Amino acid sequence: MKKEQDSPEDLLLALPKGRVADEVLPLLRAAGIEPEAEFGRPGSRKLRFTTNVPGLEIIRVRSFDVATFVAFGAAQLGVAGSDVLMEFDYQEVYAPLDLRVARCRLVVAEPAELASSDDPDRWSHIRVATKYPEICRRHFAARGVQAECIKLNGAMELAPGLRLCRRIVDVVDTGRTLQANGLVEVEHIADCSARLIVNRSALKTRPESLGLWIERLRKVVDGA
Ligand code: AMP
């Protein structure tokens, strides 16, 4: 049954869809959080789920939106990739714990035939397609390269073949997606993994209830 209103004591945990959630769920379970069955049902349209813990609910949102919900205090807790946290750099988001799952690397990639004669040290002006325009701007500015960043929300790997740009910046895990699209990594920007995130104001006003989950998850991650 749906509640009329949230109690100020209730906690909301924002989880992303897809790969990160799949790898984080076993950690949540080990820490004692079991979402209602609907959470795991493929094709479910529900966005908000109860758990076995009274007063703790889960919302499922896009990975970039997890950081936004937590930054504005709409959710007190969340799980976000460090790539997403680097992109937004929200002051209100505190990331106390590396969950050490959903590991990937943020890289610059380009078509294999271009890479065979390309030297990243000689770039002066490049155009890249990316989900991460802020990271790109900072990364290339720091190494003196003028970068024109075209924001896409997915399927970056298509961009070079369609001449939108010659290079992309994206996260890579196995490298299979790059390979399937004729691209190769030419520059490493950062190693990334899933982080537990907390709203800073909520942590100040509710240190015990939020601290309990941070510590429980820390013990799971440390294998204690
Ligand atoms: P892969 O083919 O294993 O290298 O995976 C690459 C694809 O999966 C790309 O479309 C990435 O955007 C996405 N991806 C891989 N790892 C992650 C991750 N940890 N978080 C979010 N997206 C990821």
Side-chain angles (χ1 to χ4, degrees), residues 7-21:
S7 142
E9 295 309 310
D10 286 349
L11 287 180
L12 211 50
L13 166 65
L15 292 183
K17 300 170 183 177
R19 187 182 303 225
V20 177

Side-chain angles (χ1 to χ4, degrees), residues 14-187:
L15 292 183
K17 300 170 183 177
R19 187 182 303 225
V20 177
D22 294 345
E23 295 193 32
V24 165
L25 208 52
L27 302 182
L28 296 180
R29 290 203 169 107
I33 301 172
E34 182 65 45
E36 64 175 294
E38 184 77 11
F39 186 81
R41 204 159 285 151
S44 170
R45 301 268 163 184
K46 247 182 125 170
L47 298 172
R48 185 170 178 157
F49 305 85
T50 58
T51 70
N52 61 321
V53 180
L56 176 67
E57 292 195 6
I58 291 174
I59 55 169
R60 181 153 56 195
V61 297
R62 282 173 176 258
S63 61
F64 277 66
D65 294 340
V66 168
T68 307
F69 274 89
V70 174
F72 286 88
Q76 294 74 36
L77 287 158
V79 173
S82 49
D83 50 323
V84 172
L85 302 178
M86 279 169 75
E87 176 65 17
F88 285 120
D89 204 16
Y90 280 126
Q91 295 306 300
E92 263 304 295
V93 171
Y94 171 51
L97 186 60
D98 183 349
L99 297 171
R100 300 189 215 148
V101 294
R103 290 180 201 255
C104 56
R105 46 199 195 282
L106 194 58
V107 305
V108 187
E110 62 187 25
E113 62 276 18
L114 171 62
S116 61
S117 59
D118 192 24
D119 178 1
D121 288 340
R122 298 173 70 103
W123 292 342
S124 61
H125 178 270
I126 62 169
R127 188 197 278 169
V128 293
T130 186
K131 268 192 288 193
Y132 306 94
E134 284 306 317
I135 296 177
C136 279
R137 254 175 237 125
R138 286 200 301 266
H139 172 75
F140 291 114
R143 74 184 214 55
V145 176
Q146 211 187 325
E148 191 185 335
C149 308
I150 302 173
K151 169 89 199 267
L152 291 180
N153 296 303
M156 258 78 54
E157 295 84 0
L158 283 174
L162 298 176
R163 299 181 199 287
L164 184 63
C165 54
R166 295 207 290 174
R167 302 175 179 95
I168 66 167
V169 167
D170 196 12
V171 288
V172 172
D173 177 15
T174 62
R176 274 191 226 118
T177 308
L178 288 184
Q179 198 184 16
N181 290 282
L183 303 173
V184 293
E185 283 177 52
V186 288
E187 188 163 283

